[in-house]
Amino acid sequence: MERIYVFDTTLRDGEQVPGCQLNTIEKIQIAQALELLGVDVIEAGFPVSSPGDFNSVVEISKAVTWPTICALTRAVEKDIEVAAEALKYAKRKRIHTGIGTSDSHIKHKFNSNREEILERAVKAVKYARNFVDDVEFYAEDAGRTDNEYLAKVVQAVVNAGATVINIPDTTGYCFPDEYGAKIKYLIDNVDLKNAILSTHCHQDLGMATANTLSGVINGARQVEVTINGIGERAGNTSLEEVVMALRSHKDRGFDTNINSQHIYSTSRLVSSLMNMPVQPNKAIVGRNAFAHSSGIHQDGVLKNVETYEIINPKDVGIDDNAIVLTARSGRAALKNRLSVLGVKLESAELDKVYEKFLNLADRKKSINDDDILMLVGKEARLNRIKVDYLQVVCGIGVRDVASIGLNIAGEHFEATASGNGPVDAAIRAVKSIIRREMKIQEFLIQAIDRGSDDIGKVHMQVEHNDIVYYGFAANTDIVAASVEAFIDAVNKFVE
């Protein structure tokens, strides 16, 4: 089997999704999960972009042992210097530098010409080689770059010392045959020496996985992916889809170093920490990925599972015989399930989560993985403003009124307000205490599973001083979840 290297950019390209930003501790947690998963390269961030990103690359470099740690830069000397400094603790380090190569980028983004872009590309690679031996070059918008000029750029940066050449379909524009032909053209027309080609495909037209696989078939030996396919706009290529597609088609002769049994736990961890639910019909890791509702399908699966399942759920870490958690479950059962989901808690933290677990289990008939991860995430948040109590009166023919008590940095405040429904009344009461100009831009309610006793997730965008802040909460009481999501956003801008 020919080895395909997995370059994970969940912590860089994936984290660029609005509302999904992580702190350094959360990034380290995901990086360690990616190491356990078996990814070859972790793109840890864009160090020059912010002190937080710089610090995250430093700390991830310390926390992770064997994967290569990669830092993104532009073709700018200062970027490269800062990236090199951020990578100083990495056991294996890579600088990922590059520049746009399509005529659209050259003209409109850089107001430049092809010759100057080529010179800047070569200069950036040569400068990066002063700091590290492993330099990856990205030709941004390669999907819309004509092949002849692209080959010229690739040859020049390989000659300058690039070890990996990233061919991004930045806008998700290419068809699979077109992208595959582009990779083959480079294989046939460039002396790559010891360098390899890498795919980096986006999902704008829904073809990221197909384009990535086409790239592999035509000669690319590294794939750039994210967990759950998260990323800017419509997202990036999904790690789990590419890995399991290659594994399901072993006759093609390709495989990765990924330990697929950790796919599901890593998926849930990323979903929880980034507050980004996985759609139920998502391939490999969605709630319905191995569900069968059709009578004909159920009959076939009962007779032979391979009639409708090409992947064994256990191969991706989904145990169809998992322990069912209820109010009678003990700490050991909860700790075991958290371990399966990739979450490790100290004894004191486990006690707090277990207490919340029992309270939730008393209200729900069954506890699922999303419920557990929600409890962990909720316990982890340290907010300046907290809800002491919330009482709502609502119904048909009565006035909707909410009374709320808030703890703000140790001081207690109370307010009552009426509104157009219980959620509006409760949020008006919060606003009367906080007294800031704020406007809700987006308000999304989503059930984790189904049923009237289920937990509801609320995602909210709140504008304050022309800046949008993102709030998230989950609760079996949707009014409480809405208030908690609003306060979660307020906590991010309150002084």
Side-chain angles (χ1 to χ4, degrees):
M1 304 293 283
E2 192 162 0
R3 171 75 173 275
I4 303 300
Y5 293 91
V6 176
F7 175 115
D8 184 275
T9 185
T10 300
L11 296 175
R12 201 278 301 169
D13 213 343
E15 204 223 2
Q16 292 175 193
V17 176
C20 292
Q21 284 65 47
L22 303 168
N23 60 40
T24 298
I25 294 173
E26 291 167 333
K27 287 184 178 182
I28 290 171
Q29 192 175 354
I30 290 176
Q32 291 174 331
L34 294 173
E35 180 175 31
L36 187 64
L37 182 61
V39 304
D40 301 288
V41 183
I42 298 174
E43 188 165 48
F46 185 5
V48 81
S49 66
S50 72
D53 240 31
F54 179 91
N55 186 57
S56 292
V57 175
V58 171
E59 296 305 321
I60 289 170
S61 297
K62 295 176 182 177
V64 172
T65 303
W66 70 265
T68 296
I69 304 302
C70 179
L72 184 75
T73 81
R74 296 164 298 182
V76 176
E77 289 189 357
K78 179 64 175 178
D79 284 26
I80 294 168
E81 292 166 5
V82 172
E85 176 66 16
L87 290 168
K88 63 183 178 180
Y89 295 108
K91 287 77 176 175
R92 297 177 178 83
K93 58 190 73 176
R94 175 184 295 180
I95 290 177
H96 189 189
T97 190
I99 196 166
T101 56
S102 69
D103 288 336
S104 175
H105 278 227
I106 292 171
K107 179 180 178 181
H108 301 296
K109 184 175 178 180
F110 299 109
N111 189 27
S112 184
N113 56 67
R114 288 184 169 189
E115 290 71 27
E116 183 181 331
I117 292 298
L118 183 59
E119 290 174 8
R120 290 179 62 180
V122 169
K123 184 179 178 181
V125 170
K126 286 183 176 179
Y127 194 66
R129 281 300 299 258
N130 292 326
F131 301 97
V132 296
D133 293 327
D134 189 3
V135 175
E136 178 170 342
F137 175 83
Y138 63 84
E140 189 175 12
D141 204 22
R144 294 189 295 172
T145 302
D146 77 77
N147 290 349
E148 186 176 344
Y149 176 66
L150 182 61
K152 187 176 180 180
V153 173
V154 171
Q155 186 66 73
V157 296
V158 168
N159 292 343
T163 52
V164 180
I165 312 299
N166 177 10
I167 310 299
D169 184 22
T170 305
T171 59
Y173 173 77
C174 292
F175 275 14
D177 61 336
E178 181 183 5
Y179 186 76
K182 187 176 293 287
I183 296 295
K184 189 174 188 308
Y185 182 89
L186 296 175
I187 292 289
D188 292 341
N189 292 278
V190 176
D191 177 11
L192 290 170
K193 306 183 191 300
N194 294 319
I196 63 172
L197 297 183
S198 178
T199 66
H200 183 109
C201 301
H202 281 260
Q203 187 74 346
D204 298 71
L205 295 176
M207 295 185 287
T209 296
N211 283 342
T212 297
L213 293 172
S214 182
V216 168
I217 291 168
N218 283 280
R221 290 299 174 261
Q222 177 180 280
V223 293
E224 303 193 8
V225 293
T226 62
I227 300 297
N228 301 333
I230 64 171
E232 283 198 273
R233 304 184 311 280
N236 288 45
T237 307
S238 165
L239 178 147
E240 58 273 10
E241 292 175 14
V242 172
V243 168
M244 296 313 295
L246 293 176
R247 202 152 290 180
S248 298
H249 290 269
K250 291 182 178 179
D251 56 307
R252 292 283 188 170
F254 304 111
D255 203 2
T256 67
N257 188 54
I258 296 298
N259 182 343
S260 63
Q261 292 187 344
H262 291 292
I263 283 178
Y264 182 71
S265 61
T266 308
S267 166
R268 307 318 293 174
L269 178 67
V270 170
S271 173
S272 174
L273 291 180
M274 289 189 164
N275 295 332
M276 195 168 184
V278 177
Q279 65 196 63
N281 63 327
K282 170 72 177 66
I284 314 299
V285 293
R287 185 178 69 224
N288 296 337
F290 298 98
H292 306 279
S293 60
S294 160
I296 295 174
H297 285 211
Q298 290 173 341
D299 179 66
V301 168
L302 289 171
K303 291 174 179 175
N304 187 321
V305 71
E306 292 183 2
T307 54
Y308 287 101
E309 285 186 8
I310 58 172
I311 299 170
N312 186 332
K314 290 184 172 63
D315 287 344
V316 295
I318 299 176
D319 188 353
D320 51 9
N321 294 315
I323 296 173
V324 177
L325 295 176
T326 68
R328 265 65 61 194
S329 299
R331 283 177 176 79
L334 177 61
K335 183 177 180 180
N336 174 75
R337 194 61 199 160
L338 284 168
S339 178
V340 169
L341 294 172
V343 178
K344 303 290 190 297
L345 296 180
E346 299 297 328
S347 180
E349 294 174 311
L350 180 63
D351 288 344
K352 291 180 181 178
V353 172
Y354 182 66
E355 183 179 344
K356 293 180 182 294
F357 161 78
L358 291 178
N359 290 333
L360 179 61
D362 282 336
R363 297 189 306 235
K364 287 198 68 180
K365 296 176 183 177
S366 62
I367 302 295
N368 59 35
D369 290 345
D370 286 295
D371 295 333
I372 296 169
L373 289 171
M374 179 277 298
L375 292 174
V376 175
K378 186 175 181 180
E379 179 60 32
R381 288 198 295 275
L382 298 175
N383 293 328
R384 186 168 182 266
I385 304 173
K386 298 179 181 178
V387 179
D388 279 337
Y389 72 84
L390 172 65
Q391 184 177 29
V392 177
V393 176
C394 63
I396 299 173
V398 299
R399 190 173 170 218
D400 297 314
V401 178
S403 298
I404 194 164
L406 297 182
N407 181 322
I408 304 178
E411 292 188 59
H412 299 276
F413 301 84
E414 296 181 342
T416 299
S418 59
N420 184 21
V423 172
D424 183 51
I427 289 178
R428 284 175 182 266
V430 173
K431 286 182 175 180
S432 70
I433 294 175
I434 298 174
R435 298 184 182 279
R436 298 288 182 93
E437 286 296 324
M438 58 194 94
K439 181 179 180 181
I440 296 175
Q441 297 281 37
E442 186 173 302
F443 181 23
L444 174 66
I445 300 175
Q446 181 182 35
I448 285 178
D449 196 358
R450 45 187 166 267
S452 60
D453 65 340
D454 190 28
I455 283 183
K457 284 186 175 183
V458 173
H459 295 257
M460 194 174 291
Q461 294 181 20
V462 178
E463 182 185 307
H464 173 65
N465 288 341
D466 297 322
I467 300 174
V468 174
Y469 298 85
Y470 296 84
F472 166 82
N475 200 303
T476 52
D477 184 332
I478 203 63
V479 179
S482 302
V483 171
E484 289 170 351
F486 182 74
I487 290 175
D488 185 43
V490 172
N491 268 307
K492 293 169 183 173
F493 67 74
V494 71
E495 297 176 356

